[in-house]
Amino acid sequence: MKNYHYPKIPAAEITPKHLFQARRKFLQTAGGAALAALLPQPLWAAGGFGEIKKSEFNADESLTPLQSVTSYNNFYEFGTGKDDPAARAGSLKTRPWTVSIEGEVKKPVTFDIDQILKMAPLEERIYRLRCVEAWSMVIPWLGFPLAELIKRAEPTGKAKYVEFVSLHDPQQMPGQKSAVLEWPYREGLRLDEAMHPLTLLTVGLYGEVLPPQNGAPVRIVVPWKYGFKSAKSIVAIRFLEQQPTTSWMQAGPREYGFYANVNPEVDHPRWSQAKERRIGEFLKRKTLMFNGYAEQVAPLYAGMDLARYF
Amino acid sequence: MAEVSLNGKALTGIKILAFCLALLPLGKLGVNAYLDNLGANPIEKITHVTGFWTLTLLMVTLAATPLRRLSGWNWPIRLRRMLGLFAFSYGSLHLLAYLVLDQFFDWDAIAQDIAKRPYITVGFPAFLLMVPLAVTSTDQMLRRLGGKNWLRLHRLVYPCAIGGVVHYWWLVKKDLSNPLAFASVLAILLGVRVAYRLGGPLFRRPKPARST
């Protein structure tokens, strides 16, 4: 694939800003009302979180039902079947929980989960999630930009990459008793990707505390990359000078690259990435460049050959 | 080895039982589809279940001959045609699930899949190999082709089963335990045949009694 170029949009197709915003407002209100009508009262009224900040990042798409979001998961720590995490993640103890900040930082520190929850105002972000297996969801996450945490750790000038390490405890995570992947699960981002305002440090979904099968108590969500980049149940965040080798790169270097940007033009070696099945829909839809977040993130990869850095 | 022949009644009983057992996964799938109980991705579930039973029934079919040779029972052979046709039926449903539910007749995408996705490149012809076997499964076709030709044609079941297992192997993202189980079973079933061909003592064919 060539370098990514912004599509040229004819002037006629550009909605004037005030109309765009009015439409957004309407959709948000309508969506919010519909959601409020659908959900049982306690779920959104007594979600366990205080005030939720308004977010500017919301996909105007209908949400994937909570039931699907919490019952169809890839979380190999609990087994390789899609049903395994929901069935087996009950053994995960999410409190007490700490996340240690290590490596190239001026202030190595270990945060308690309660400190993290109070670190910055929580906001709801409705993001598309695209799995490398060509299915997708739309999920209302709760969290705040990972950049808020990174700023507090003060990475040194040497820090170029961030590595996320998930919990390794076969007692709590029975899937780790088999060596399908190299445990603990490791993922990574370039520092600028990690600092990007879209990269969300996530502690909840659908207004509730993150369920264990979705990566409790704290995970990241990187919406323009395939789902496996969004590390779950994080216990350490390491700042590194060199690009780390992630668990999936180790498992299949030809199939899972470090970047793993959603890209309809670069196929997985064994299947096409051009289309995806939105969970709950019958017909497949076209996969969007960077999962629809090209406007925000394409500059991060300016001049890069995305077929090589897949 | 003593030949154990079943009387007609017992054989009919076994046949009915096998028929019901082979139909069971489809029935379960239907009930679960009706109850909206197929999970968040029902199309994937239907594709996986039908694929699994295609392979399983192919293995069962391939087990008939070794079972007879090792045990001397004759009845497994009498079930083989029916179970083979069930394998073909599940295979057809698997293909239909892919063509209709998964791709919804997107022939471009389908052609590209066959050309470019190794697991489909090998799976699609593996299915096609079952078609002539199903078509020639009737007694009339057996007579028309002649026993020898018919047998030769039906050896296509070997590449078909191997293709099916490779199809599954190449599809799985990481956890190979299920495809590995199928591959092991297939290796045993084919291995027994090879051992028999090479004429190991355990596998020597009992001399047919001639009445002159």
Side-chain angles (χ1 to χ4, degrees), chain A residues 149-265:
Chain A
L149 182 142
I150 293 180
K151 277 181 218 152
R152 282 167 178 77
E154 293 183 35
T156 69
K158 280 185 178 170
K160 299 276 184 298
Y161 294 90
V162 189
E163 183 181 41
F164 305 93
V165 185
S166 297
L167 179 68
H168 184 199
D169 182 354
Q171 290 310 309
Q172 294 186 59
M173 297 180 142
Q176 289 177 336
K177 286 173 186 162
S178 92
V180 270
L181 288 172
E182 185 104 356
W183 310 115
Y185 190 89
R186 282 158 294 112
E187 255 309 333
L189 294 172
R190 230 167 47 190
L191 187 59
D192 58 342
E193 296 176 321
M195 297 286 289
H196 193 280
L198 278 173
T199 305
L200 197 70
L201 191 93
T202 305
V203 294
L205 59 81
Y206 265 108
E208 288 279 315
V209 172
L210 208 55
Q213 61 268 38
N214 294 89
V218 61
R219 64 173 294 173
I220 55 155
V221 175
V222 193
W224 71 92
K225 292 175 181 282
Y226 294 122
F228 68 90
K229 286 302 284 184
S230 296
K232 301 182 178 112
S233 302
I234 295 168
V235 294
I237 299 178
R238 288 187 195 131
F239 292 80
L240 305 169
E241 201 174 349
Q242 304 294 330
Q243 180 181 298
T245 303
T246 70
S247 291
W248 274 108
M249 286 165 76
Q250 214 157 27
R254 252 172 32 84
E255 306 196 336
Y256 309 99
F258 178 77
Y259 284 92
N261 288 314
V262 174
N263 190 336
E265 293 168 51

Side-chain angles (χ1 to χ4, degrees), chain B residues 22 27 52 82 86 111 150 197 209:
Chain B
F52 177 87
M82 183 179 79
F86 264 114
W150 189 91
R197 284 239 147 182

Side-chain angles (χ1 to χ4, degrees), chain A residues 68 72 74 76 80 83 132-133 180 248 251 256 267-272 275 277 279-280 282-284, chain B residues 40-41 43-45 100-104 106 109 112-113 116-119 169-175:
Chain A
S68 301
Y72 189 76
N74 277 327
Y76 280 18
T80 53
D83 314 327
V132 70
E133 298 163 347
V180 270
W248 274 108
Y256 309 99
D267 286 342
H268 184 278
R270 287 182 287 151
W271 57 81
S272 165
K275 289 193 190 175
R277 163 151 298 108
I279 293 301
F282 177 64
L283 292 177
K284 286 186 178 178
Chain B
N41 198 346
I43 294 171
E44 181 188 69
K45 183 73 120 207
V100 183
L101 302 179
D102 190 47
Q103 297 287 2
F104 199 66
D106 184 345
Q112 276 200 28
D113 265 358
K116 284 172 71 180
R117 317 292 154 220
Y119 77 98
W169 188 288
W170 282 349
L171 147 82
V172 165
K173 207 169 74 175
K174 192 66 185 86
D175 181 12

Side-chain angles (χ1 to χ4, degrees), chain A residues 243 257-261 263 266 301 303-310:
Chain A
Q243 180 181 298
F258 178 77
Y259 284 92
N261 288 314
N263 190 336
V266 177
Y301 310 101
M304 272 175 78
D305 176 356
L306 296 179
R308 186 164 164 230
Y309 297 98
F310 60 88

Side-chain angles (χ1 to χ4, degrees), chain B residues 85-98:
Chain B
L85 283 170
F86 264 114
F88 174 70
S89 309
Y90 277 99
S92 307
L93 290 174
H94 181 65
L95 180 69
L96 274 175
Y98 165 74

